[in-house]
Amino acid sequence: MLTAGQILQLIRNGACRTRKELIEYTGLSRSTITDRVDRLIDAGYIHESGVGASGGGRPPSVLAVDAARRLLLVADLGATHARVALTDLAARPLAEESTEMRIELGPEAVLSWVRQAFERLLDRTGRPAGEVCGIGLDVPGSVDHTTGRMIRSFLMPGWDDYPVGGAIGETYDVPILVENDANAMALGEWWSSWRDTDSLILIKVSTGIGTGIVLDGQIYRGVEDAAGNIGHVRLREADDRVCTCGSRGCVASLASGHALAVDLGQESSRDVVRLVQAGDPEAIARTQEAGRTLGTVLATAVSLLNPGVLVLAGDMAETREHYLTGIREIVYRRSLPYTTRNLEIVPTSLGHQAGIVGMAVIVMEHVLSPASVDAALAARTDEAS
């Protein structure tokens, strides 16, 4: 017999829109469906959003997820920035705030800002903290997403094994999920623009290089939660440049935004973007060459996974396609024609919001999962009794 949480999934995915359709689809009795639906309505998961077509008699009420009644708080943390957003249960941002902040300041300083920014978003929108049903944070490193602890990051000194979820949980008693930033961005892009695509690879090129992989609508993390470390593939072991991981000749030490900034005598990847956008010929030439360098490794990834979409995100996605041109040139040249026949290589459609949207989707899917919904409904019953 289907649970209320499973009934909710039928409403979410559009399989059933009315009580009558639920009865016909599941074979459950009218009283059972009425009980399940009423509990979901009382708990604020769904509402009656209108009436459907009538086959005679009273028109049936249409059931839909009540996306506005519950809220999510999400944070996107990069090497040099922090962004937070308050979203509804459809992953739509209601309020946002961002600042330039170096992740190397450490977890106490960065997460203190995040907690305060969350409070400001709630105050600004006039929404109570009690409406928040889930929180998500993405970070530029490998994460044990089951515990919310950092595993490792070459860009985040002082964060290893830090309980990121636990630090936020001191303020909010809700599920708190932590994810790698490129993974979150990949899911955000897939959710927003590419849900008809079976596989998507996102490459984030900013200070470093990270990769997110979505297969059949799910993030692929790997056995050790370390999938996507393409920036640390070694291309030239004899190269003088030392990568943040301590090795020489890594893709990140040759083609990241930081590597380009060093080559061009600039402070950051954003400075490189400004030079390219201003038409600086040396910056354009080096940016295209960096794209070709990364494309060498991406050609292997394309041959291995045969994705439908390859998305470029991060600062280098703002170089007016110069970086992307280098990637396209090598990927198409070095991959078999039939593996790239239907491949789209595109810049991010969400820009700086990719991580925010992706993290909201991750939390949304968790709090609306059958197991989470059934547990929450059981807790409400226990409290009432």
Side-chain angles (χ1 to χ4, degrees), residues 118-155:
F118 281 167
E119 293 177 8
R120 289 193 293 271
L121 293 179
L122 290 169
D123 290 342
R124 190 186 313 162
T125 56
R127 304 294 291 268
E131 292 184 358
V132 176
C133 63
I135 294 174
L137 299 91
D138 72 46
V139 293
S142 296
V143 175
D144 183 341
H145 68 281
T146 61
T147 65
R149 286 179 173 269
M150 291 296 306
I151 299 175
R152 69 188 68 82
S153 175
F154 305 117
L155 297 175

Side-chain angles (χ1 to χ4, degrees), residues 332-344:
Y332 286 127
R333 181 195 302 170
R334 298 200 176 190
S335 302
L336 289 171
Y338 71 87
T339 64
T340 57
R341 182 171 52 204
N342 296 307
L343 173 65
E344 296 195 56

Side-chain angles (χ1 to χ4, degrees), residues 24 48 64 66 74 183-184 198 216 219 223 255 276 283 291-292 365 375:
E24 294 173 348
E48 297 178 340
D66 192 348
V74 292
N183 285 345
D198 290 336
D216 295 326
I219 294 171
V223 175
V276 172
R292 286 191 283 270
E365 292 294 330

Side-chain angles (χ1 to χ4, degrees), residues 206-251:
S206 291
T207 302
I209 297 177
T211 308
I213 303 168
V214 175
L215 301 176
D216 295 326
Q218 302 293 320
I219 294 171
Y220 178 73
R221 298 183 177 88
V223 175
E224 301 293 342
D225 286 295
N229 272 309
I230 202 169
H232 299 290
V233 173
R234 298 185 199 176
L235 291 181
R236 307 171 192 166
E237 294 196 32
D239 196 279
D240 291 337
R241 283 170 286 192
V242 179
C243 182
T244 53
C245 70
S247 299
R248 295 179 184 275
C250 292
V251 176

Side-chain angles (χ1 to χ4, degrees), residues 32-374:
T32 299
I33 290 298
T34 297
D35 171 71
R36 303 284 193 273
V37 169
D38 286 350
R39 291 173 65 202
L40 290 170
I41 291 176
D42 290 344
Y45 286 106
I46 61 175
H47 63 163
E48 297 178 340
S49 63
V51 294
S54 173
R58 182 180 178 182
S61 297
V62 173
L63 304 171
V65 174
D66 192 348
R69 186 164 167 180
R70 294 164 181 257
L71 303 172
L72 306 175
L73 286 167
V74 292
D76 168 42
L77 305 179
T80 59
H81 76 265
R83 298 186 186 91
V84 294
L86 178 70
T87 82
D88 63 13
L89 263 186
R92 294 181 295 238
L94 305 176
E96 298 179 64
E97 183 175 329
S98 65
T99 188
E100 292 189 3
M101 177 180 294
R102 302 197 69 84
I103 199 79
E104 62 192 33
L105 288 175
E108 288 81 8
V110 173
L111 296 180
S112 175
W113 181 87
V114 169
R115 287 192 296 267
Q116 294 171 22
F118 281 167
E119 293 177 8
R120 289 193 293 271
L121 293 179
L122 290 169
D123 290 342
R124 190 186 313 162
T125 56
R127 304 294 291 268
E131 292 184 358
V132 176
C133 63
I135 294 174
L137 299 91
D138 72 46
V139 293
S142 296
V143 175
D144 183 341
H145 68 281
T146 61
T147 65
R149 286 179 173 269
M150 291 296 306
I151 299 175
R152 69 188 68 82
S153 175
F154 305 117
L155 297 175
M156 303 173 66
W159 287 75
D160 285 0
D161 200 38
Y162 191 85
V164 177
I168 298 296
E170 296 173 0
T171 307
Y172 299 91
D173 184 22
V174 298
I176 300 172
L177 306 182
V178 186
E179 185 57 83
N180 168 264
D181 60 347
N183 285 345
M185 294 171 74
L187 188 63
E189 291 287 340
W190 178 83
W191 176 268
S192 299
S193 304
W194 304 102
R195 271 187 265 183
D196 58 346
T197 302
D198 290 336
S199 60
L200 173 148
I201 298 176
L202 177 136
I203 310 297
K204 178 189 177 185
V205 187
S206 291
T207 302
I209 297 177
T211 308
I213 303 168
V214 175
L215 301 176
D216 295 326
Q218 302 293 320
I219 294 171
Y220 178 73
R221 298 183 177 88
V223 175
E224 301 293 342
D225 286 295
N229 272 309
I230 202 169
H232 299 290
V233 173
R234 298 185 199 176
L235 291 181
R236 307 171 192 166
E237 294 196 32
D239 196 279
D240 291 337
R241 283 170 286 192
V242 179
C243 182
T244 53
C245 70
S247 299
R248 295 179 184 275
C250 292
V251 176
S253 69
L254 304 170
S256 67
H258 174 72
L260 282 168
V262 172
D263 287 346
L264 294 166
Q266 301 296 313
E267 290 293 325
S268 69
S269 56
R270 294 177 189 175
D271 295 327
V272 175
V273 171
R274 282 189 280 270
L275 284 177
V276 172
Q277 292 178 345
D280 182 279
E282 183 182 7
I284 290 173
R286 287 182 177 271
T287 295
Q288 290 178 343
E289 181 59 31
R292 286 191 283 270
T293 298
L294 179 56
T296 300
V297 180
L298 290 178
T300 300
V302 167
S303 297
L304 181 66
L305 295 175
N306 189 205
V309 186
L310 186 64
V311 180
L312 175 65
D315 292 340
M316 290 299 104
E318 300 177 23
T319 57
R320 295 180 178 169
E321 295 225 345
H322 289 297
Y323 198 101
L324 199 62
T325 297
I327 291 176
R328 287 188 179 123
E329 177 186 334
I330 300 301
V331 168
Y332 286 127
R333 181 195 302 170
R334 298 200 176 190
S335 302
L336 289 171
Y338 71 87
T339 64
T340 57
R341 182 171 52 204
N342 296 307
L343 173 65
E344 296 195 56
I345 304 178
V346 298
T348 170
S349 62
L350 292 175
H352 295 309
Q353 280 198 323
I356 289 293
V357 173
M359 210 57 241
V361 171
I362 290 169
V363 181
M364 173 188 72
E365 292 294 330
H366 176 81
V367 300
L368 292 180
S369 68
S372 295
V373 171
D374 290 333

